[in-house]
Amino acid sequence: MSPLPPLVGLETARLDWTTNEAGQASPLSTRFDDVYFSRHEGRAETEHVFLTGNDLPRRFAGWQADRPFVIGETGFGTGLNLLCAWACFDAHASSDARLHLVSTERYPLSRDELERALSAWPDLARRAGCLIRQWPEPVAGVHRLWLDKRVTLDLHFGDAAERLALLEGRVDAWFLDGFAPSKNPEMWRPELFAAMAARSRPGASFATFTCAGVVKRGLAEAGFSWRKVPGIGRKREMLAGDIASPPADTRRERAPWFTPPPPRPTRHVAVIGAGIAGASAAASLARRGVAVTLIDRFDRAELGTTHLQGALYVKLAVETNLQSRAYLAGLLYSRRWLAHLDPQQALWRPSGVLQLALSEKDQARQASFLANHPLPESVVSRLDAESASLAAGIRVEAPALDYPNAAWVKPLELCAHLARTPGVGFRRGEVTELVGGEAGWTLTLAGGERIEADQVVVATASEAARFDQTAALPLQPVRGQVSQLALPEGAPALGRVICAGGYVPPAADGVLNFGATYAPGDTDPAEREEDHAANLAELERGLPHFVAALRQAGAGLSPQQLTGRVGVRAASPDKSPYCGPVPDTEAWQEDYAALAKDATRVTHIPGRHHQGLWISAAHGSRGLASAPLCAELIASRICDEPLPLEWPLVDHLHPGRRVIRDLIRGQHPAS
Ligand code: SAM
């Protein structure tokens, strides 16, 4: 059984609004019959209970660690507590310190409600604006937001106890918020306190407004010590305390191979490959203050990606599986990330994506998918052919799934932009060898030059096979050719990216890009006429009226007239990316050899890895959806901070998964 709750849209908050004597609107939950913050002294209460209760001004001022200070919260609500914590951090912490906020929320407010609630605090307006702009869709799961250069927020949408049990990361200070235990007994249950304890750093503190017996008992049973301290306003007392020795993390007992390698001090990381996987990893690390050398065999102007337009889009399985969860999380993350990275939309367009269902079988699949995944319409919905035609801007004859917030991207320009992130040094060069030692890694370039780095991220798609350490990971090259057509005057314009067999985004700079072919095992870089013919046939199959209108407008639509670009992507056998630490395959074969005889014979040895070596690869043709989130995952691991995915998804993406599968099936890895 999956440890993950269903992949669904969440019920949102149910609110009433009241106005205090200062004219500030404040929300009240009609579901819980309780207030989000005190109508009279909301700010003072937050500051007293959660900030002072956790001794944050003093702790922030003294924070010297390489990793960020981590706050965990049980009910995000309007975000007031965490915005105040952010302001307190800015006021007290040194300029190179970082803050990581993790908060759970079962009934998220809508964006408008959030804006209304936070308008009560004009001095928080800049911070509130940042949160409101990135406010995620109400979908169960983890949503990472970049609040500013040194502050990250992970919103874990769903029940607090469930979500904290899925959190991969540890917390320094807890804000134990949520409506009063008498009004919300379901949240304040033993599992919540147990999950908090298991996700605590040694010495982690907590503070809460309540002194209810159930809370005192629950905290004590989970290993926290508590004391009553003076409250504020009408609440005379509250609780604060800490946990000296949190319990060990036992979640990986059944799969010890996925135990992450311990963090190591890191000043400089080399990233090999400047396509979307490498360039986004470089940017994620640089944002955390790590010096990055980004190396690619191509020049900055033609960084390791070939296509001029790519669709930010995913294909989700009818039945929920880990791969679909990871891809949907990636899609939602990439969309937020693009809007934050490039608000002017020079590198991307939020056009939306229509996935046509051309056959009855496809239509049945789409219907079952939606029945299994009741997601908000802002994420995905079903359109009949007429509505699909309206969205597409041209006549389509099939119903479709509509992803109104999906997008198209200029991958080449995006990668070049990421490579210019402050803190990233771009180097042209071909890395031929990697040698790891106690102190770090030495990279040898084709000319013999050497580069030293504390850690290395390999992001060279199928060419990862050239390095000894990554050669055993099965990666298949997949050639893809995109066709290009310069549009004549009067050509019809598409309103969405349209996917059927292939994909076609709205034209950019007067050129229509469409394709792509998918040829596993083929690495030939030369453009082929027959591939243009195949792309054209696919375009006509999905969009016959569009192609007819293009012809009528005089477009040169024959394979001989088309130009194109060829790229080689990489795919793993199970079509999920490889993202994480590189396993020492030989050690795994030795340590877990018993699995070959009996898949239940788990040897409890933590997975041995090539310390300080990471891979982000096998993104196939969906790298725009998967690579930016994988970049954050790797950067978060390297910088010892909470991860932006639930632990079962982190394990699902682990590059060693095939080694174990092959051992169980009695196959030699990479055979
Ligand atoms: N910290 C908030 C702020 O700064 O605005 C106020 C929190 S409000 C008093 C309580 C929040 O807990 C609500 O947003 C509510 O939806 C959420 N909540 C209630 N039960 C929950 C549960 N079981 N898991 C996660 N969140 C829950």
Side-chain angles (χ1 to χ4, degrees), residues 422-497:
V424 176
F426 180 78
R427 273 292 321 260
R428 188 174 184 169
E430 184 166 353
V431 181
T432 56
E433 194 186 30
L434 293 174
V435 178
E438 274 303 298
W441 288 83
T442 305
L443 292 73
T444 307
L445 303 193
E449 191 194 335
R450 300 212 157 137
I451 294 176
E452 308 285 335
D454 300 318
Q455 309 212 37
V456 177
V457 181
V458 175
T460 51
S462 61
E463 290 181 54
R466 77 184 298 170
F467 303 119
D468 290 347
Q469 298 85 349
T470 45
L473 302 177
L475 270 169
Q476 186 178 44
V478 183
R479 179 184 185 281
Q481 179 171 318
V482 171
S483 303
Q484 293 176 320
L485 170 74
L487 288 183
E489 287 270 316
L494 296 176
R496 289 266 200 276
V497 177

Side-chain angles (χ1 to χ4, degrees), residues 261-512:
R264 39 156 61 189
T266 300
R267 297 272 168 266
H268 175 216
V269 174
V271 178
I272 314 172
I276 184 70
S280 55
S284 284
L285 285 160
R287 174 181 171 254
R288 289 163 170 81
V290 175
V292 179
T293 304
L294 176 63
I295 308 161
D296 199 291
R297 134 166 100 95
F298 294 111
D299 207 352
R300 196 186 277 252
E302 39 163 344
L303 290 168
T305 180
T306 21
H307 299 320
L308 296 179
Q309 262 186 309
L312 169 56
Y313 150 80
V314 294
K315 269 194 192 140
L316 303 174
V318 171
E319 306 288 339
T320 315
N321 60 27
L322 294 173
Q323 182 176 69
S324 285
R325 286 176 187 271
Y327 270 114
L328 182 62
L331 174 78
L332 298 175
Y333 173 75
S334 287
R335 177 60 177 76
R336 258 194 321 277
W337 174 76
L338 284 168
H340 185 77
L341 189 75
D342 176 28
Q344 313 304 332
Q345 299 177 4
L347 307 168
W348 68 291
R349 289 292 145 72
S351 60
V353 171
L354 275 184
Q355 187 188 342
L356 301 185
L358 295 179
S359 66
E360 280 184 11
K361 197 167 150 216
D362 282 348
Q363 291 169 22
R365 280 173 49 82
Q366 290 192 347
S368 317
F369 167 76
L370 281 186
N372 292 340
H373 302 93
L375 291 162
E377 287 192 355
S378 51
V379 174
V380 58
S381 67
R382 192 141 198 267
L383 299 184
D384 61 20
E386 203 176 319
S387 312
S389 301
L390 273 177
I394 47 149
R395 191 164 139 216
V396 298
E397 306 248 321
L401 284 185
D402 184 29
Y403 293 81
N405 278 310
W408 65 261
V409 177
K410 297 180 176 173
L412 206 62
E413 290 169 36
L414 173 63
C415 291
H417 178 84
L418 293 168
R420 288 192 296 269
T421 305
V424 176
F426 180 78
R427 273 292 321 260
R428 188 174 184 169
E430 184 166 353
V431 181
T432 56
E433 194 186 30
L434 293 174
V435 178
E438 274 303 298
W441 288 83
T442 305
L443 292 73
T444 307
L445 303 193
E449 191 194 335
R450 300 212 157 137
I451 294 176
E452 308 285 335
D454 300 318
Q455 309 212 37
V456 177
V457 181
V458 175
T460 51
S462 61
E463 290 181 54
R466 77 184 298 170
F467 303 119
D468 290 347
Q469 298 85 349
T470 45
L473 302 177
L475 270 169
Q476 186 178 44
V478 183
R479 179 184 185 281
Q481 179 171 318
V482 171
S483 303
Q484 293 176 320
L485 170 74
L487 288 183
E489 287 270 316
L494 296 176
R496 289 266 200 276
V497 177
I498 302 191
C499 300
Y503 74 94
V504 52
D509 308 321
V511 176
L512 193 72

Side-chain angles (χ1 to χ4, degrees), residues 32 35-37 46 73-82 104-109 158-161 177-179 184 186-187 189:
F32 293 99
V35 292
Y36 279 74
F37 43 75
T46 284
E73 186 186 45
T74 48
F76 183 77
T78 68
L80 174 63
N81 289 345
L82 292 185
T104 65
E105 177 53 60
R106 184 167 176 180
Y107 304 105
L109 271 66
D159 169 67
D177 205 356
F179 297 116
N184 187 15
E186 219 192 304
M187 188 190 93
R189 56 187 203 268

